[in-house]
């Protein structure tokens, strides 16, 4: 398969008053053309920071330092100049943010916000851009697109705002769409509508999708490849079925057991992962999951496991991975 | 307070209505231009040591319902009786004594704890307000008990809320609610802001506490999977109305109302093979505004099986069997 995005040894550190915070620690993965990659993990595990680094949105953050390579179609995004990045951001890679309530500009009409990137990237005239914006709104399910162009974001409901975000994201036919928790703030019935819409659009345009979420159910439904992150590291990576039925990392196993489900028998008690994720300011020796891990042995405390191949496409970073039963 | 004969239930609600007036600009005074019907004719009971799960989408009136039960909102109409006492129209001193028995755990553990109070002050405040303890020693002992009960380390008692993680804060919120030994707690989305692994810990804690202390819960959540884990019975709410109520097993294994069916089918299961095979009902559109609910059945505008009859008749709650009721004309 042809790779569209190739991330090599990406590290993002933030210099805080409490010390260096390792938000993302030596992460590498690839996204192929048209592939749906799910990234799952708890808050603070570095999933959002990874996407912000890809979009080069951390440039203006004081104290952030980024190392590594982000190759998009062979071009290292981190070495691009600001102007070159403008050409790519929103055009070739676009992003759907988590909060449709706050990520739209409240003082511009929806029409203006969609046409902005059309005029900038595709050099459309304002009339053409308006036509195209209406088409896009129609595509994402608005019944009266021309009228809606003149509305302000606060006149719309959460689901409708997220549709506008999607319309903006797909406006320039991007090759990669990054959706960061696109439905977390929406109701379940609306969530299903929105995600089906995103998938449908990706299918038709052949765009690759990075779906970032903490919801294991959504990943199961949509993702082909799954990346599990914990405390700034990738702990497991593989095809969806490998992760869900044959997991080789205790964190993934723990997560799958801890999720309440609407199918199967009700367990008397949910199986929990004791404790809390570590503070990433401490320089950890050994595996970062070790303090919470039920399978931990002496070796886990003293040396850090590397992401190693289990079988084709399947990687896990655990010393005990051979002992685990999925 | 009137005695109502009713011994099975700790709480029962009849014909509950709550509407919020909306005012527009008038000539001299504000003009009343309409009402938001947050709760419309709701009826249910909660038994002793029972958990009733209340599910629904945002704006369906779940939180308002929880607040009405605790008299944090004034009812527009209806009767609520708690432990055989009708407390629809009670005065403040009576209410204060009732408050000892009913408490609430809020959704956002970041906003519901006073940042200027230490943890022991937060948990101890109800003890002082209600004069539960007489001496300082008793007070200290009770606080230590509460810390142990919710699984927090007592050595953290003098810290401030910002020093705690989300899960620990939610434990503090639960400890505060437990301080007065209540029989009934409204849990308003207690785990929705927490991560999966922490969420499971809090759910287990709530289940544990229930069996230890015989508390009844009204567990409000939009997450049906969480509700299934903790509830004995489940009520489904849509636009201010109950559309289905019944034993948890029955509602989840055999949902009768088209809304419940759609809700359940849109929750993804963490199991790729099963999930990709599953049939889903995707609802069209969004819920109508509660200021102007549709005539007849409130769900008919999004319902896949609605017909002309549904716009005329308001479907009554009908018993499907002993432990399962549904409000839909099309369910036979």
């Amino acid at each position: 398969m042809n790779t569209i995005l190739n991330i090599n040894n990406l590290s993002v550190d933030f210099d805080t008053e409490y010390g260096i915070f390792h938000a993302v620690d030596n992460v590498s993965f690839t996204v192929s053309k048209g592939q749906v990659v799910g990234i799952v993990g708890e808050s603070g595990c570095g999933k959002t920071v990874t996407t912000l680094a890809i979009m080069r949105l951390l440039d203006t953050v004081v104290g952030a330092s980024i190392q590594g390579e982000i190759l998009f179609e062979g071009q290292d995004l981190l070495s691009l100049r600001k102007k070159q990045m403008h050409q790519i951001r929103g055009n070739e890679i676009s992003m759907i943010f988590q909060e449709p309530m706050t990520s739209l500009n409240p003082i511009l009409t929806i029409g203006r916000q969609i046409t902005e990137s059309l005029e900038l990237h595709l050099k459309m005239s304002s009339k053409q851009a308006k036509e195209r914006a209406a088409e896009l709104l129609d595509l994402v399910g608005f019944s009266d697109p021309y009228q809606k162009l003149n509305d302000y974001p606060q006149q719309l409901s959460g689901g409708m705002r997220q549709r506008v975000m999607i319309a903006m994201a797909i406006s320039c036919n991007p090759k990669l769409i990054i959706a960061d928790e696109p439905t977390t703030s929406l109701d379940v019935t609306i969530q299903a509508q929105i995600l089906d819409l995103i998938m449908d659009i990706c299918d038709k345009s052949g765009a690759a999708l990075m779906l970032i979420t903490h919801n294991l159910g959504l990943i199961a439904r949509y993702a082909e490849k799954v990346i599990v992150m914990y405390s700034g590291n990738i702990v497991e990576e593989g095809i969806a079925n490998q992760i869900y039925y044959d997991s080789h990392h205790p964190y993934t196993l723990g997560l799958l057991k801890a999720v309440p489900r609407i199918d199967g028998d009700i367990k008397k008690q949910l199986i929990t992962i004791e404790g809390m994720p570590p503070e990433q300011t401490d320089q950890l020796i050994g595996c970062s999951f070790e303090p919470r891990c039920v399978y931990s042995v002496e070796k886990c405390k003293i040396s850090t496991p590397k992401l190693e191949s289990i079988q084709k496409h399947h990687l896990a970073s655990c010393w005990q991975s051979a002992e685990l039963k999925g | 307070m009137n005695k109502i004969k009713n011994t099975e239930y700790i709480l029962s609600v009849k014909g509950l209505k709550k509407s919020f007036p909306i005012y527009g600009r008038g000539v001299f005074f504000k003009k009343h231009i309409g009402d938001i019907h947050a709760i419309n004719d709701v009826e249910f009971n909660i038994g002793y040591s029972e958990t009733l799960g209340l599910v629904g989408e945002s704006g369906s009136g779940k939180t308002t319902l929880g607040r009405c039960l605790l008299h944090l909102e004034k009812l527009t109409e209806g009767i609520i009786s708690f432990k055989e006492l009708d407390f629809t129209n009670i005065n403040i001193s009576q209410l204060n004594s009732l408050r000892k028995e009913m408490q609430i755990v809020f959704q956002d553990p970041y906003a519901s704890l006073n940042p200027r109070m230490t943890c022991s002050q937060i948990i101890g405040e109800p003890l002082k307000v209600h004069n539960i303890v007489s001496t300082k020693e008793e007070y200290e002992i009770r606080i230590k008990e509460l810390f142990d009960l919710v699984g927090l380390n007592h050595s953290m008692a003098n810290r401030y809320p910002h020093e705690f993680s989300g899960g620990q804060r939610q434990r503090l919120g639960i400890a505060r609610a437990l301080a007065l030994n209540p029989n009934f707690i409204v849990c308003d989305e207690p785990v929705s802001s927490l991560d999966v692994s922490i969420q499971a810990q809090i759910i287990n804690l709530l289940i544990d506490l229930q069996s230890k202390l015989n508390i009844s819960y009204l567990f409000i959540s939009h997450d049906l999977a969480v509700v299934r884990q903790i509830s004995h019975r489940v009520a489904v709410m849509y636009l201010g109305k109950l559309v289905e109520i019944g034993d948890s097993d029955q509602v989840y294994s055999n949902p009768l109302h088209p809304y419940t069916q759609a809700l359940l089918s849109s929750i993804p299961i963490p199991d790729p093979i099963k999930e990709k095979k599953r049939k889903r009902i995707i609802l069209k559109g969004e819920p109508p505004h509660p200021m102007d609910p549709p005539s007849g059945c409130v769900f008919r505008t999004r319902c896949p099986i609605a017909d002309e009859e549904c716009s005329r008749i308001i479907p009554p709650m009908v018993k499907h069997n002993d432990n399962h009721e549904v409000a839909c004309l099309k369910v036979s």
Side-chain angles (χ1 to χ4, degrees), chain A residues 34-268:
Chain A
Q35 195 178 32
V36 180
V37 177
I39 300 186
V40 62
E42 295 180 286
S43 34
C45 72
K47 42 190 202 310
T48 299
V49 173
T50 308
T51 62
L52 292 178
I54 297 170
M55 295 293 276
R56 284 274 300 275
L57 292 172
L58 295 171
D59 288 8
T60 51
V61 177
V62 177
S65 74
I66 308 172
Q67 271 103 42
E69 270 186 326
I70 300 173
L71 299 174
F72 177 71
E73 298 190 307
Q75 194 178 23
D76 188 3
L77 296 183
L78 292 177
S79 67
L80 290 184
R81 271 190 278 145
K82 231 180 175 179
K83 271 206 167 150
Q84 292 171 306
M85 194 59 210
H86 279 318
Q87 301 287 319
I88 291 180
R89 194 190 292 131
N91 189 12
E92 314 232 338
I93 309 178
S94 66
M95 189 149 175
I96 299 167
F97 290 93
Q98 173 169 10
E99 290 268 337
M101 307 289 169
T102 51
S103 41
L104 291 171
N105 190 336
I107 57 166
L108 297 178
T109 61
I110 288 156
R112 184 72 204 104
Q113 295 186 54
I114 302 176
T115 51
E116 187 184 3
S117 62
L118 292 171
E119 288 170 24
L120 181 75
H121 293 303
L122 304 182
K123 311 278 180 282
M124 285 186 179
S125 69
S126 66
K127 207 176 168 194
Q128 278 174 315
K130 234 181 185 164
E131 288 288 321
R132 175 77 182 134
E135 262 171 51
L136 286 165
L137 285 185
D138 185 43
L139 192 70
V140 295
F142 281 88
S143 50
D144 46 352
Y146 282 97
Q147 224 175 322
K148 279 286 179 304
L149 285 177
N150 299 322
D151 276 3
Y152 289 90
Q154 63 270 24
Q155 291 171 279
L156 302 177
S157 67
M160 284 298 166
R161 280 181 232 193
Q162 199 57 291
R163 284 169 197 271
V164 173
M165 288 285 294
I166 294 170
M168 287 166 66
I170 60 169
S171 59
C172 301
N173 289 321
K175 293 174 185 150
L176 174 66
I177 299 176
I178 301 174
D180 185 5
E181 305 262 12
T183 57
T184 306
S185 56
L186 304 176
D187 283 317
V188 273
T189 56
I190 310 293
Q191 172 175 308
Q193 292 174 1
I194 296 288
L195 274 168
D196 281 13
L197 174 67
I198 296 179
M199 296 311 293
D200 197 39
I201 286 166
C202 287
D203 266 0
K204 278 185 194 144
S205 69
L209 177 71
M210 273 171 74
L211 179 64
I212 289 125
T213 176
H214 64 274
N215 188 330
L216 285 158
L218 288 182
I219 297 270
R221 183 183 291 167
Y222 298 107
E224 297 157 32
K225 174 173 165 176
V226 182
I227 293 171
V228 185
M229 285 186 80
Y230 182 78
S231 163
N233 297 297
I234 293 181
V235 293
E236 191 166 8
E237 180 185 327
I239 309 292
N241 289 5
Q242 291 171 337
I243 299 285
Y244 282 85
Y245 305 124
D246 187 25
S247 168
H248 277 73
H249 197 283
Y251 178 63
T252 319
L253 280 174
L255 270 188
L256 284 170
K257 281 182 194 152
V259 191
R261 304 167 61 134
I262 54 160
D263 64 330
D265 299 329
I266 302 177
K267 293 169 227 133
K268 217 166 178 193

Side-chain angles (χ1 to χ4, degrees), chain B residues 34-166:
Chain B
D35 290 296
I36 289 202
H37 304 284
I39 304 173
N40 201 349
D41 217 356
V42 163
E43 227 167 285
F44 63 86
N45 306 306
I46 301 176
Y48 284 92
S49 312
E50 183 185 61
T51 305
L52 177 70
L54 183 62
V55 294
E57 294 179 283
S58 39
S60 63
K62 340 183 262 302
T63 297
T64 308
L65 180 56
R67 293 175 61 91
C68 282
L69 296 186
L70 299 183
H71 247 259
L72 295 170
E73 299 282 357
K74 240 180 153 202
L75 307 183
T76 310
E77 238 177 82
I79 300 169
I80 300 174
S81 53
F82 181 72
K83 286 190 175 172
E84 305 170 47
L85 297 169
D86 174 6
F87 80 111
T88 323
N89 301 304
I90 60 172
N91 60 37
I92 288 184
S93 66
Q94 288 169 319
L95 185 60
N96 274 344
S97 65
L98 263 178
R99 281 268 159 81
K100 279 184 228 171
E101 306 189 30
M102 35 173 53
Q103 289 290 319
I104 183 166
V105 176
F106 293 97
Q107 170 169 14
D108 188 351
Y110 292 83
S112 58
L113 301 172
N114 187 337
R116 288 171 182 255
M117 288 165 87
T118 64
C119 295
S120 63
Q121 283 170 336
I122 289 171
I123 296 178
E125 196 178 23
L127 300 175
K128 287 182 179 162
V129 171
H130 289 278
N131 292 321
I132 300 289
V133 287
S134 43
T135 62
K136 193 141 180 51
E137 286 79 52
E138 264 183 72
Y139 175 79
E140 293 296 337
I141 291 169
R142 180 72 184 138
I143 294 217
K144 184 156 189 323
E145 255 176 32
L146 288 166
F147 265 88
D148 291 342
L149 206 55
V150 296
L152 285 174
N153 193 333
H154 187 240
S155 65
M156 302 195 278
N158 289 323
R159 295 199 192 171
Y160 289 88
H162 73 265
E163 298 175 64
F164 290 85
S165 69

Side-chain angles (χ1 to χ4, degrees), chain A residues 41-44 47 157-160 163 184-193 196 214-224 240-241 244-245 251 255-256 258-277 292, chain B residues 56-59 62 165 167-168 194-205 207-208 222-226 228-231 248-249 252 259 262-276 278 280-287 302:
Chain A
E42 295 180 286
S43 34
K47 42 190 202 310
S157 67
M160 284 298 166
R163 284 169 197 271
T184 306
S185 56
L186 304 176
D187 283 317
V188 273
T189 56
I190 310 293
Q191 172 175 308
Q193 292 174 1
D196 281 13
H214 64 274
N215 188 330
L216 285 158
L218 288 182
I219 297 270
R221 183 183 291 167
Y222 298 107
E224 297 157 32
N241 289 5
Y244 282 85
Y245 305 124
Y251 178 63
L255 270 188
L256 284 170
V259 191
R261 304 167 61 134
I262 54 160
D263 64 330
D265 299 329
I266 302 177
K267 293 169 227 133
K268 217 166 178 193
Q269 288 246 300
L270 289 170
I271 296 158
T272 63
I273 306 174
E274 288 305 319
M276 280 172 300
R292 301 175 77 188
Chain B
E57 294 179 283
S58 39
K62 340 183 262 302
S165 69
Q168 287 175 320
L194 306 175
D195 274 319
V196 179
S197 68
I198 310 296
Q199 179 177 305
Q201 293 173 7
I202 298 291
I203 295 171
N204 283 346
L205 173 69
I207 296 175
D208 239 27
H222 65 276
D223 187 333
L224 279 98
V226 170
R228 177 173 186 251
Q229 182 64 33
I230 196 169
S231 307
S248 194
D249 327 338
Y252 281 90
Y259 178 61
L263 261 188
L264 279 172
S265 84
S266 49
I267 299 200
I269 312 173
D271 186 329
I273 294 177
K274 250 193 194 173
E275 180 55 40
K276 279 167 189 156
R278 224 150 62 105
R280 288 188 292 149
I281 309 164
I282 296 204
L283 290 178
K284 297 255 155 54
E286 304 198 8
R302 298 171 82 196

